[in-house]
Amino acid sequence: MNTSPGAPAGRRAQFLAAGAAAVTVGLWASAFVAIRSAGASYSPGALALGRLLTGALVLGAVCAVRGEGLPPRGAWRGIAISGVLWFGFYMIALNWGEQQVDAGTAALVVNIGPILIALLGARLLGDAMPPRLLAGMAVSFAGAVAVGLSMSGGGGSSVLGVVLCLLAAVAYAAGVVAQKPALGRASSLQVTTFGCLIGAVVCLPFAGRLVQDAAAAPVGATLDMVYLGVFPTALAFTTWGYALARTSASRMGATTYAVPALVVLMSWLFLDEVPGLLTLAGGMLCLAGVAVSRSRPRRDTAPVEPPVPGAAAPGVATAPGPAAAPAGAPGPATGAEAGSRSEQG
């Protein structure tokens, strides 16, 4: 039996990382519902800027309370790249792209992001690509496409929209891969806070449009934007960083395939959009693929008996002792003989 204190600590760390990933996936799924509501009153760039400014204010306050300082110098490169590409460019491109294409095309193009993460992670980070991970991602991708096609509503597509969704997927993958090394040098809170701040700076050209949209938008749409900044951005990106620091980028990317399935459920609960059979089947495929990609091969954990000192291994002849006692003369039992007798008795 393994009684080392490291085993429970390792299991606890894995449990916390899995819980953090679940929080992230749930909040990112809820973001799609909020974006659909706020997007009717805010333009893509204004919505991204308002979301990031809200997130940066919340994260900055938390950092001040916790006494978090600046990240170490070695983490700034990854923070800057992820801030520009993932927090900034990705949000603008995705908001804009989803206004140009139907949901099916968006699902097909944007959901290549986890696949790109796996490829970039293997190339740049040395992440392993076991068969279970690849198989799970293939199943989840098929499910995401099924969900998107079933919820497309017969909308149209444009070349610009496809290009924007493709650029969003590439920015998402590159941002995750760049963020992974930074999490080895700085805390998840630091990486998220300064990445969010850099993303807000990238979106500053839309400040004038944000002021105009906020003046004309209903209160509900503005509250949706604030919600996006507090929960799917400030909280979810922090829990994402916590989980990413404790697992591979490829495995975390595959976990996000659970988002389409949760979007179906939330749309059903909060928007009264009853899913069809194809939608439900696609959601189940997404969850099944995530389960496969995060599973690990079973190992033989049968306990191995430690060898008894002086006892012969099975199938190995025992060498004669240095001297034999005369017949019938009792002699002192050695430690090996005593152990052997106790086992036999």
Side-chain angles (χ1 to χ4, degrees):
M1 180 189 303
N2 187 1
T3 59
S4 63
R11 287 193 295 269
R12 181 175 181 272
Q14 292 177 2
F15 177 78
L16 292 176
V23 170
T24 298
V25 169
L27 290 176
W28 282 354
S30 72
F32 283 87
V33 179
I35 287 172
R36 290 180 60 181
S37 176
S41 303
Y42 286 89
S43 64
L47 180 58
L49 176 58
R51 175 180 178 177
L52 289 170
L53 286 176
T54 304
L57 288 174
V58 172
L59 290 166
V62 175
C63 282
V65 171
R66 291 177 55 88
E68 295 272 352
L70 293 175
R73 181 180 300 179
W76 274 106
R77 179 181 179 183
I79 293 174
I81 294 175
S82 65
V84 171
L85 294 180
W86 193 8
F87 286 86
F89 183 82
Y90 166 80
M91 291 191 181
I92 298 173
L94 182 61
N95 291 344
W96 189 6
E98 289 193 349
Q99 292 183 354
Q100 305 292 320
V101 300
D102 59 57
T105 304
L108 176 64
V109 179
V110 173
N111 278 293
I112 69 172
I115 299 175
L116 296 176
I117 291 175
L119 295 176
L120 291 174
R123 176 70 176 177
L124 302 177
L125 303 178
D127 286 352
M129 297 183 66
R132 286 173 179 262
L133 175 62
L134 297 177
M137 293 179 70
V139 172
S140 291
F141 180 73
V145 173
V147 170
L149 290 174
S150 65
M151 301 178 69
S152 61
S157 301
S158 68
V159 175
L160 175 61
V162 172
V163 172
L164 287 170
C165 289
L166 179 60
L167 291 176
V170 174
Y172 160 51
V176 171
V177 174
Q179 190 186 63
K180 173 67 175 176
L183 290 166
R185 298 176 173 86
S187 69
S188 173
L189 182 59
Q190 289 175 320
V191 172
T192 305
T193 300
F194 289 94
C196 186
L197 183 60
I198 291 173
V201 172
V202 171
C203 297
L204 279 180
F206 301 99
R209 184 60 185 271
L210 174 60
V211 173
Q212 296 176 5
D213 290 348
V219 176
T222 302
L223 291 177
D224 285 331
M225 183 179 66
V226 172
Y227 170 83
L228 288 169
V230 175
F231 294 100
T233 302
L235 178 57
F237 274 85
T238 302
T239 53
W240 164 274
Y242 178 89
L244 179 61
R246 290 157 177 80
T247 187
S248 68
S250 304
R251 196 173 296 277
M252 280 299 297
T255 304
T256 61
Y257 273 125
V259 170
L262 294 179
V263 170
V264 171
L265 177 61
M266 291 180 181
S267 298
W268 190 359
L269 295 176
F270 300 110
L271 302 178
D272 293 327
E273 297 179 352
V274 180
L277 293 178
L278 180 58
T279 306
L280 290 174
M284 294 300 294
L285 281 177
C286 289
L287 296 178
V290 171
V292 172
S293 64
R294 292 192 66 88
S295 64
R296 300 179 184 274
R298 297 184 62 182
R299 297 179 179 178
D300 184 11
T301 57
V304 179
E305 293 289 344
V308 178
V316 180
T318 305
T334 64
E337 292 170 342
S340 176
R341 292 171 186 170
S342 64
E343 290 182 7
Q344 293 173 359

